[in-house]
Amino acid sequence: MDGMPARVAMVSLHTSPAAQAGTGDAGGMNVAILSLAGELAARGVAVDLLTRANTEPGMRQLEPGVTLYELAAGGTGALGKEDMAAVSDEFGEAVSALAAERRYDILHAHYWLSGIAALPAALALDIPLVQSFHTVAAMKNRLSPPGTAPESERRVRSEAYLASQANAIVVGSAAEATALVEDVRAPAGSVWVVPPGVDVDLFRPNRRDAAHRIRAELSIAPGVPVLAIAGRIQPLKDQALAIRMLGRLRSDPGPVLVVAGEATPGDDSYLVGLHTIATELGVADRVHFVGALARKELAELLAMASLTLVPSHSETFGLVALESAASGTPVVGYRSSGLMESVAEGRSGVLVDSRDPADWAETVANLLADETELRALSESARNHSLAHTWAVSATALLSIYGSL
């Protein structure tokens, strides 16, 4: 490492790093920013998190060494992600003013909207810009379900421009790196793969008290297998596939499916459709929608589940798969994009090649019927996760910062 940055700004325009994952537009990116910030602060790097203020602008310390700045842009009140581009210039001016005052060594933009806002400040103040896209429009358009509206041309062009301007591009998986180099024409020498980590102290097995509590709250009888699925409720995540799969499972007792997460803004009709599918298939009493869960509650759910399902059409990495592994719960996921890296096949879970509910039902039924294999997968999943901590991710990120 050439040098240690003293102060870093992580920019997240459209969603606050402090927002609860699974609500609104908050997801794995929010978890990653906050987790990395904490690890960097523990190493003596002051980290400022810059986001748009929904109410009054202000600042507050989230933990020692990590400060959240909520900057004015576009008035008060929540804005949809599709409206954020219109306030990116105003937000960028606020970022530039703060950067001049705070003298950042690195500006690290998360998501394309943040990059567009932060790039002028980086150029004007001669601060290295690190860009993390988290999702890439070209990759998302290629892998999204039929009928999904494509990402805007503005986003596609903006990502290509940012990829050519950033001093470094940090991605979560080799799949994302390939998409950036091949589809976005990012310079290969600027792309660095830093896989996300997992809090192995929070996400851990053997939460018996929590298991009893969750079963009591949801009226799930002892011995009934629990399948968990966690994430924002939207077509890309395809919770519908999990419900259709449940309708194919005829074991006695039939498993229940616990769906954690809220509908992404604009996808409320999809959530209504999930309820309709469950009713039509006669499994409504076996599907529990529990909304967005706090991190501790999510850890408890994953630990008590028999399996975690990740049927997403596309995942840049698939953080939930790693969190499930740390909880000692094997994953059944779709063989696509970043899931082929977050799921260690045969060690932390199983990947399904098709999107046919019957194939998913067969895979799940076989795992639930073989207690020996399920127990072995549970143990090896936990061991797999131990090599993927946020401390490892932060060390790699610091090396990139230092090289700039």
Side-chain angles (χ1 to χ4, degrees):
M1 187 184 302
D2 296 331
M4 172 82 79
R7 192 180 303 278
V8 170
M10 291 192 174
V11 186
S12 179
L13 166 56
H14 78 284
T15 176
S16 171
Q20 181 175 319
T23 63
D25 285 310
M29 184 184 87
N30 304 67
V31 174
I33 294 174
L34 207 54
S35 300
L36 287 169
E39 289 291 341
L40 292 176
R43 289 160 172 74
V45 180
V47 182
D48 290 352
L49 307 178
L50 315 186
T51 192
R52 175 185 173 270
N54 284 339
T55 55
E56 293 300 315
M59 60 170 285
R60 57 192 168 100
Q61 190 174 66
L62 301 183
E63 58 183 276
V66 179
T67 305
L68 177 70
Y69 284 85
E70 296 172 300
L71 307 178
T76 57
L79 288 178
K81 189 160 59 174
E82 66 280 0
D83 300 317
M84 289 290 181
V87 304
S88 62
D89 286 347
E90 184 180 354
F91 181 77
E93 290 173 2
V95 169
S96 185
L98 188 62
E101 174 190 338
R102 300 282 285 167
R103 299 181 178 275
Y104 298 124
D105 297 305
I106 298 285
L107 283 175
H108 189 161
H110 294 266
Y111 199 62
W112 72 276
L113 289 167
S114 303
I116 291 299
L119 178 59
L123 294 174
L125 299 171
D126 195 25
I127 304 172
L129 177 69
V130 177
Q131 176 68 44
S132 290
F133 290 105
H134 294 277
T135 62
V136 180
M139 179 178 173
K140 194 172 180 180
N141 286 340
R142 177 163 31 88
L143 298 174
S144 289
T148 303
E151 294 296 313
S152 69
E153 184 64 20
R154 179 175 188 172
R155 176 179 174 180
V156 172
R157 291 180 179 275
S158 294
E159 288 181 346
Y161 180 65
L162 285 169
S164 71
Q165 296 295 308
N167 298 92
I169 304 169
V170 174
V171 301
S173 65
E176 185 185 0
T178 300
L180 277 165
V181 173
E182 295 185 354
D183 299 335
V184 186
R185 299 292 185 261
S190 298
V191 180
W192 302 75
V193 179
V194 179
V198 61
D199 184 340
V200 295
D201 295 321
L202 175 61
F203 292 90
R204 54 181 173 79
N206 305 321
R207 291 178 175 269
R208 291 184 178 84
D209 291 343
H212 291 313
R213 178 182 56 77
I214 294 171
R215 285 184 181 274
E217 289 177 353
L218 300 179
S219 299
I220 303 172
V224 173
V226 173
L227 309 176
I229 182 168
R232 287 168 291 169
I233 295 179
Q234 56 182 224
L236 184 70
K237 302 293 186 182
D238 205 0
Q239 288 89 352
L241 174 55
I243 294 175
R244 291 191 173 99
M245 177 275 298
L246 191 70
R248 300 263 186 163
L249 290 173
R250 303 302 180 191
S251 59
D252 186 22
V256 301
L257 177 67
V258 179
V259 183
E262 294 179 359
T264 302
D267 286 319
D268 296 289
S269 61
Y270 181 71
L271 175 57
V272 172
L274 295 181
H275 286 274
T276 301
I277 293 169
T279 299
E280 290 176 347
L281 294 177
V283 295
D285 61 333
R286 291 165 52 203
V287 181
H288 300 276
F289 293 89
V290 297
L293 299 179
R295 303 295 289 161
K296 182 174 182 292
E297 293 172 327
L298 176 62
E300 291 172 346
L301 171 62
L302 295 181
M304 65 86 63
S306 301
L307 294 168
T308 297
L309 309 179
V310 188
S312 307
H313 289 265
S314 167
E315 289 283 353
T316 302
F317 179 79
L319 185 58
V320 168
L322 194 55
E323 291 170 343
S324 181
S327 305
T329 300
V331 174
V332 177
Y334 177 53
R335 190 187 301 278
S336 173
S337 57
L339 282 178
M340 291 189 288
E341 296 168 61
S342 60
V343 178
E345 193 158 19
R347 292 177 56 216
S348 71
V350 176
L351 295 173
V352 183
D353 292 311
S354 85
R355 305 197 64 80
D356 186 337
D359 293 334
W360 279 69
E362 181 180 3
T363 300
V364 169
N366 289 341
L367 285 170
L368 293 178
D370 192 336
E371 292 186 10
T372 301
E373 181 183 1
L374 197 59
R375 189 179 304 111
L377 263 181
S378 175
E379 293 175 359
S380 59
R382 173 66 180 178
N383 290 333
H384 166 69
S385 75
L386 295 177
H388 297 80
T389 65
W390 287 114
V392 172
S393 302
T395 299
L397 189 59
L398 267 181
S399 294
I400 298 168
Y401 289 170
S403 71
L404 302 176

